[in-house]
Amino acid sequence: MSVQDVGKSFRVYQSEWHRFARWFGIPVTPSEEHWVLRHISFNIQPGEAIGIVGQNGAGKSTLLKMITGTLRPTEGSIHVNGRIGAILELGMGFNPELTGRQNVWHAAGLMGFTPEQISQAMEDIEAFAEIGDYFDEPVRTYSSGMQMRVAFSVATAYRPEILIVDEALSVGDTYFQHKSFDRIREFQDQGTTLLIVSHDRGAIQSLCDRALLIEKGGVVKDGDPEEVMDFYNALIAEKENSTVEVRELDDGKIQTSSGTGEARVEEIVLLNSKGEVSDYVGVGEDVELMIRLGVHQPIDSLVLGYGIKDRLGQVMYGTNTWHTAQVIKNPEVGEKYLFRVKFPANLGVGSYSLQTALVDRDTHLTANYEWLDRALVFNVINIDKITFAGCLWNEPTIHIERQV
């Protein structure tokens, strides 16, 4: 795929006659012209995975629509080799009065599949969407997540040479997101080229070989996904599952968990420097997190991840045993494991929660055995440190010299 010096402008004319005249090649100057994209150029090799990131209104979706041919570029050229499977907007133009099954026939037909091909794929599409009897109900009765399930199932019924996914996947539930990313990975392994728009840093870094950052209608960075995402976050800062279970805790807070259940956390406690279970620890105190888990179904690998979040949900610190090179390979069903995580509580005064993740590798995108928010809540108090502000204890040594 090649995108060369592409730009897109939207024009306003003084009258419809001026617009019609422009269609027939008569030179007419528009009264207003707004360029959404300008001078966009990049090449994508077969089988490459590209993440497209940028803030809302940057032009990401407009670019994808031009690549798929639903919009014509105002300038420049786009050359595509191979069949494109695309999910650009929720519903893919589904007719709300038709059933999910009827819309599949319609959408797949527009994609160029024969009635025989659609009939052969229908059972798999229905099974992958997992919306039960709703598949034969009018789409107007669907939630946005159900529409997304059917749309993704149709677009990926046959492996395309190029798969384009806009942020529409973000409306799906956690379980279907995981399932969708698994299918995307399968297509990648088989040589499908991927273009994905997402604000999910983990998805971009896990799925993509490259990332493009679009800002103010142009590509401002093209390179390693981690570097591009770091730069993207800097720009933002400069300007400003599996089944899902929700339950209420004893303190009235809501805990959300998801996962396929092959492994689960069975106990989690925090020990203070004296080895006592405690909900309160001092700033800088050496503490130990004890996490006991069990394996309930056969899995190839087991990774424990954890993150410490402040009261606003911002992650203060997180890592997992993939990064520490402590992956458990082929654990036996019924086995128990105790993880002992020691660290100094170098946190500011306040309330914190712990989230845990049991996965198979560095992210939850390939297998999410269990993701547990608010697995543990604890408080940090200042017992013996100087007064300070902020979420990090980083006590300095200050020297003062009088200058003569």
Side-chain angles (χ1 to χ4, degrees):
M1 179 189 300
S2 175
V3 177
Q4 299 299 323
D5 202 31
V6 164
K8 178 62 179 179
S9 71
F10 292 96
R11 295 162 174 163
V12 177
Y13 294 90
Q14 293 180 355
S15 70
E16 289 301 317
W17 290 110
H18 285 188
R19 185 184 301 276
F20 292 149
R22 185 65 179 249
W23 289 353
F24 289 101
I26 301 173
V28 176
T29 302
S31 58
E32 295 181 29
E33 187 171 35
H34 173 60
W35 286 91
V36 178
L37 293 169
R38 203 78 190 267
H39 306 307
I40 302 289
S41 296
F42 58 89
N43 295 310
I44 302 178
Q45 301 303 316
E48 195 172 13
I50 306 296
I52 300 177
V53 298
Q55 299 184 74
N56 293 335
K60 307 182 297 298
S61 297
T62 300
L63 175 61
L64 295 188
K65 289 177 181 178
M66 290 192 293
I67 292 175
T68 57
T70 58
L71 272 182
R72 293 183 60 184
T74 305
E75 61 183 18
S77 61
I78 298 175
H79 299 284
V80 177
N81 296 316
R83 186 178 70 83
I84 293 178
I87 307 174
L88 299 183
E89 293 178 349
L90 183 62
M92 293 177 60
F94 286 173
N95 185 327
E97 298 303 321
L98 299 180
T99 67
R101 189 183 306 276
Q102 291 169 330
N103 272 293
V104 167
W105 278 99
H106 179 66
L110 291 176
M111 292 166 61
F113 295 114
T114 65
E116 182 179 1
Q117 289 174 318
I118 299 172
S119 180
Q120 291 175 348
M122 185 64 72
E123 184 176 345
D124 290 338
I125 293 172
E126 182 178 2
F128 193 88
E130 289 190 70
I131 62 170
D133 294 338
Y134 277 98
F135 197 64
D136 290 302
E137 296 293 332
V139 167
R140 58 179 165 78
T141 66
Y142 288 13
S143 66
S144 59
M146 292 167 65
Q147 291 184 52
M148 187 66 255
R149 284 171 173 247
V150 177
F152 185 88
S153 302
V154 176
T156 61
Y158 291 91
R159 184 182 74 84
E161 283 77 25
I162 301 168
L163 178 62
I164 298 178
V165 182
D166 204 343
E167 292 167 314
L169 272 179
S170 63
V171 304
D173 57 78
T174 305
Y175 166 73
F176 195 75
Q177 288 178 16
H178 293 171
K179 189 175 181 179
S180 300
F181 283 123
D182 284 344
R183 173 164 282 190
I184 290 172
R185 284 185 180 279
E186 290 176 7
F187 285 171
Q188 283 185 273
D189 291 341
Q190 298 170 30
T192 292
T193 299
L194 173 67
L195 273 77
I196 181 171
V197 168
S198 177
H199 289 293
D200 185 340
R201 180 185 182 120
I204 294 294
Q205 292 187 199
S206 175
L207 292 172
C208 300
D209 310 303
R210 284 167 56 202
L212 303 177
L213 173 57
I214 297 180
E215 178 76 7
K216 297 180 180 178
V219 176
V220 297
K221 197 167 184 63
D222 178 352
D224 177 77
E226 183 174 5
E227 294 179 8
V228 172
M229 292 304 297
D230 284 344
F231 189 75
Y232 176 39
N233 289 337
L235 286 179
I236 294 175
E238 185 181 59
K239 296 181 178 179
E240 35 161 49
N241 293 324
S242 44
T243 57
V244 177
E245 179 182 351
V246 178
R247 68 187 185 97
E248 185 174 330
L249 301 177
D250 294 338
D251 61 358
K253 300 292 186 179
I254 298 299
Q255 181 185 69
T256 302
S257 63
S258 67
T260 48
E262 289 88 344
R264 291 192 178 277
V265 170
E266 298 177 352
E267 183 183 21
I268 178 167
V269 295
L270 184 68
L271 306 181
N272 61 21
S273 58
K274 297 179 181 179
E276 303 167 336
V277 176
S278 179
D279 295 330
Y280 290 85
V281 297
V283 173
E285 183 175 353
D286 290 325
V287 299
E288 182 177 11
L289 185 64
M290 295 179 60
I291 304 174
R292 193 185 312 275
L293 58 88
V295 179
H296 303 290
Q297 296 179 39
I299 52 178
D300 294 330
S301 62
L302 177 61
V303 170
L304 168 70
Y306 75 97
I308 300 172
K309 299 192 295 185
D310 67 7
R311 63 182 181 84
L312 300 177
Q314 299 295 318
V315 177
M316 299 291 98
Y317 180 83
T319 190
N320 61 42
T321 54
W322 174 279
H323 298 305
T324 61
Q326 294 173 291
V327 179
I328 299 174
K329 296 292 186 180
N330 301 307
E332 295 290 335
V333 174
E335 284 187 334
K336 309 287 185 180
Y337 292 92
L338 176 64
F339 290 76
R340 306 172 73 103
V341 183
K342 296 182 178 181
F343 60 92
N346 294 339
L347 299 165
V349 173
S351 177
Y352 297 86
S353 68
L354 194 89
Q355 63 181 14
T356 59
L358 301 179
V359 294
D360 68 334
R361 47 178 298 141
D362 57 333
T363 78
H364 64 279
L365 297 177
T366 54
N368 173 35
Y369 309 138
E370 183 187 66
W371 182 287
L372 187 61
D373 284 316
R374 292 183 57 81
L376 178 74
V377 177
F378 65 97
N379 296 279
V380 176
I381 58 178
N382 193 350
I383 301 173
D384 57 0
K385 309 302 180 187
I386 63 172
T387 301
F388 68 99
C391 59
L392 168 68
W393 178 61
N394 188 26
E395 188 167 309
T397 298
I398 302 175
H399 293 282
I400 302 176
E401 297 180 5
R402 182 181 180 184
Q403 299 291 302
V404 179

